[in-house]
Amino acid sequence: MDPEDIEKRFAKIEWRLARIELRLARPGSPTTAAAAGPAAPKAAPPKPGSGDRPSLVTSILGWGGAVALVLAAAYLIRLAVESGWLTPVRQVALAAISGFAMIAAGLFLRNVNRQYAGLLPAGGVAILFLSIYGAHLFYGFVAAAPATVAVILVCLMSLWLCRTFESELYALFAVAGSYSAPLLISGAPSITDLVIYFSAWGVVFSVFSIWHGRRLIYLLALYLALIIFDYIFRNKAPDAWAAALTFQTVQFAIFGTATAVFTIRNKSPLDPASAWGHLPPLLIFYFLQYALLKRHLPELAPWIAVGSGAVVAGLYGTARAVAQRALPGGEFLLWAYVALVLFHAGYIESVPYEWAPWVAFAVMPVAAAVTLRHGSGFQASWPVWIAVIVVFAINYLRVAFDADLRAVPARSWLAVAYAAQLYLGYTFLRNREPVKGVATLVLLAGHVSAMAAALHLLTEGIVESTAWGVIALACLGLSLWQRDRVLAQSSLLVFGAAAAKVLLYDLGGASPLTRIISLVVLGITFYLGGLLYQRLVVSVGK
């Protein structure tokens, strides 16, 4: 037989063997089990009750049913006051029984579909909260101590149910139902009772969130606690400001600690996206508390605000020390809160108006020194830098246009100080690639401030224009020495401003001799400027 034919036959046999092996390797093949032998591992049976994830329509229907049941229980309790067809005790008992029935039904159905069945206990927990509220705050047949114990027991039950159903959906529903109970039931509960209940829920839901590993639970509780309590406080008992201040402080401590403990225990630091979700409640707390302090304790308000910033820094420092790793989200929250405290409590509320320009002048180098010492650069501390730049810009405009500076000490030298600081800032930034565009803006702002200083210190128009020309010549000289084309080009703007001032302002109504002197000064300045600029072009190349 020809050797080539033999090789072709062997190639066909190998190809057929490969196809047989491929079929044997396919899962579900009838020959797979036999080929695998007794050592082949058996597939693990599906987890009981896991089921498929509910579809969007199924989830919407489930949520709608649970919400409808909760609202029905709420109106059932309210109906006792309006119609009287059942006694309050029977009304509350019926609502509590329905809550327990929903929890039992969810436990019974969890083997069918665990996630969908978890919606029923969520509604049941909320109904139990409503029942406790109705029994204690509005009908009065349950004292404060038993009601508090009942709330704690229901919250502990919710913890157990969360672990049983392995889903936080119904827990979020329980959070919303518990905090919104005062809005669903008519009446006027005391602020002290609300402080106790809301604080207890804050602790329990924070522990629950940490244990379950989901930040959304304590975050939702924080939002609802601050907003709903403030609404009830302002509309029901606006004079109880001490209780409201206590509540805000307690909530700040509870949820600040929860954020840090969550990071440490679950080894899950805040990412930037989660940090943005934590920022609004932090701002809500700050402004709610500061408004309260400003009205009732105005002298202590800025100091308490600074103290809250120190607490945030302490929580962040503790979490970072224990975690021994970078916490970018926590660092962002820290700098954002510090920026808010410095800008609002430190600058707007505490700095006298006549000293504001000098404070803004001093804050800029301090912020630069702290940023450089911190080591993380501008990327981490950008919220503080935004606050510093806003403060500086406001006072820079006041200085440049000489707006309301009569009471400012040494106001004539403010423009000189600002110009010197801006020129130093340009020197520091000009060789740093990421901020070269910012450096150019700083340089132009320095030129404007220097020209404003000439207007503030000098009185004769021709002398002012001469000073502007000297500034432009000095910039050209420095640009030639430093081989800085940006500085040289920016000096042309000063030359242009000086020329426009001479032609449009200095010559108007001036005597012939003054006009001659002005034009001579302008001509000499421009000629020297052109000579220096030409030397710069030759030295650095076009």
Side-chain angles (χ1 to χ4, degrees):
M1 183 177 292
D2 187 40
E4 293 183 1
D5 293 334
I6 295 175
E7 290 179 0
K8 290 180 180 180
R9 289 176 179 269
F10 275 118
K12 290 181 179 180
I13 293 172
E14 291 176 354
W15 178 75
R16 290 177 180 178
L17 287 175
R19 290 190 64 187
I20 293 172
E21 290 175 355
L22 181 61
R23 288 186 177 182
L24 291 175
R26 290 178 182 174
S29 175
T31 57
T32 303
K42 295 182 179 180
K47 191 175 182 179
S50 59
D52 296 329
R53 295 183 64 86
S55 64
L56 177 60
V57 175
T58 302
S59 298
I60 293 175
L61 292 176
W63 275 100
V67 170
L69 292 174
V70 173
L71 291 176
Y75 284 109
L76 185 62
I77 297 174
R78 181 177 179 180
L79 195 59
V81 178
E82 297 178 351
S83 65
W85 64 278
L86 278 179
T87 63
V89 175
R90 293 177 180 176
Q91 292 271 350
V92 173
L94 185 59
I97 291 172
S98 65
F100 283 114
M102 290 178 66
I103 295 175
L107 292 173
F108 178 77
L109 295 174
R110 63 174 176 159
N111 291 328
V112 178
N113 191 309
R114 186 185 302 271
Q115 292 183 341
Y116 189 67
L119 297 176
L120 289 176
V125 169
I127 290 174
L128 292 179
F129 279 127
L130 295 174
S131 302
I132 297 170
Y133 248 109
H136 170 59
L137 294 178
F138 304 103
Y139 303 136
F141 56 80
V142 175
T148 303
V149 173
V151 168
I152 295 175
L153 291 177
V154 173
C155 290
L156 292 176
M157 183 192 302
S158 69
L159 287 173
W160 176 74
L161 289 173
C162 176
R163 304 301 292 182
T164 300
F165 286 92
E166 298 180 356
S167 174
E168 73 281 356
L169 290 179
Y170 88 96
L172 298 177
F173 192 76
V175 172
S178 59
Y179 279 105
S180 60
L183 301 178
L184 297 175
I185 302 176
S186 61
S190 68
I191 293 299
T192 303
D193 286 334
L194 283 180
V195 170
I196 295 173
Y197 280 122
F198 276 29
S199 298
W201 292 341
V203 171
V204 173
F205 286 127
S206 295
V207 173
F208 173 54
S209 177
I210 295 169
W211 186 27
H212 192 57
R214 290 285 294 174
R215 291 187 186 271
L216 183 60
I217 298 169
Y218 76 74
L219 194 58
L220 178 62
L222 175 57
Y223 273 102
L224 295 180
L226 292 174
I227 296 173
I228 293 178
F229 183 90
D230 186 73
Y231 174 80
I232 296 176
F233 157 68
R234 294 181 183 277
N235 289 276
K236 302 294 184 180
D239 295 331
W241 65 270
L245 181 62
T246 301
F247 170 79
Q248 293 167 354
T249 305
V250 170
Q251 296 302 302
F252 177 73
I254 290 173
F255 291 103
T257 304
T259 304
V261 173
F262 189 102
T263 297
I264 296 171
R265 185 183 184 277
N266 296 306
K267 299 180 180 180
S268 176
L270 281 172
D271 55 26
S274 299
W276 279 103
H278 286 67
L279 184 59
L282 196 60
L283 300 181
I284 292 172
F285 158 77
Y286 175 82
F287 285 112
L288 289 179
Q289 187 178 76
Y290 201 94
L292 206 61
L293 292 170
K294 183 69 174 178
R295 182 176 180 182
H296 299 284
L297 299 172
E299 296 180 356
L300 296 178
W303 296 103
I304 294 177
V306 172
S308 67
V311 171
V312 174
L315 290 172
Y316 168 76
T318 302
R320 178 164 184 172
V322 175
Q324 296 182 349
R325 58 181 297 185
L327 306 176
E331 189 173 11
F332 163 73
L333 282 179
L334 170 62
W335 285 116
Y337 194 76
V338 169
L340 174 63
V341 171
L342 290 178
F343 179 75
H344 181 258
Y347 173 73
I348 295 179
E349 296 290 336
S350 303
V351 176
Y353 191 69
E354 62 271 14
W355 282 99
W358 287 112
V359 170
F361 171 79
V363 163
M364 185 67 73
V366 172
V370 172
T371 301
L372 293 175
R373 185 173 182 179
H374 185 264
S376 57
F378 296 93
Q379 294 181 350
S381 59
W382 64 265
V384 174
W385 271 102
I386 289 179
V388 170
I389 291 172
V390 169
V391 171
F392 186 87
I394 292 173
N395 290 277
Y396 170 81
L397 294 175
R398 287 181 61 190
V399 171
F401 293 99
D402 196 19
D404 197 13
L405 298 177
R406 295 180 181 179
V408 177
R411 69 185 185 93
S412 299
W413 296 98
L414 268 173
V416 177
Y418 272 64
Q421 188 176 88
L422 289 167
Y423 285 143
L424 288 175
Y426 169 74
T427 303
F428 177 77
L429 298 174
R430 68 188 183 94
N431 292 325
R432 287 168 170 77
E433 287 294 335
V435 291
K436 275 194 172 183
V438 177
T440 303
L441 294 177
V442 170
L443 176 61
L444 296 177
H447 289 334
V448 173
S449 185
M451 290 187 292
L455 295 178
H456 298 165
L457 295 175
L458 304 174
T459 57
E460 294 294 333
I462 184 58
V463 179
E464 296 169 353
S465 301
T466 303
W468 287 13
V470 171
I471 292 171
L473 289 175
C475 290
L476 274 176
L478 287 174
S479 66
L480 184 61
W481 178 39
Q482 297 289 332
R483 301 172 65 86
D484 189 340
R485 182 184 289 271
V486 174
L487 179 59
Q489 292 172 343
S490 68
S491 67
L492 299 179
L493 297 177
V494 183
F495 277 120
K501 183 176 180 300
V502 169
L503 297 176
L504 300 177
Y505 180 77
D506 295 344
L507 297 182
S511 63
L513 181 59
T514 302
R515 293 181 180 181
I516 293 172
I517 295 175
S518 299
L519 292 173
V520 169
V521 171
L522 180 65
I524 294 174
T525 303
F526 270 51
Y527 185 82
L528 291 176
L531 181 63
L532 291 175
Y533 192 80
Q534 180 63 27
R535 291 186 60 184
L536 176 69
V537 171
V538 173
S539 62
V540 301
K542 294 184 180 180

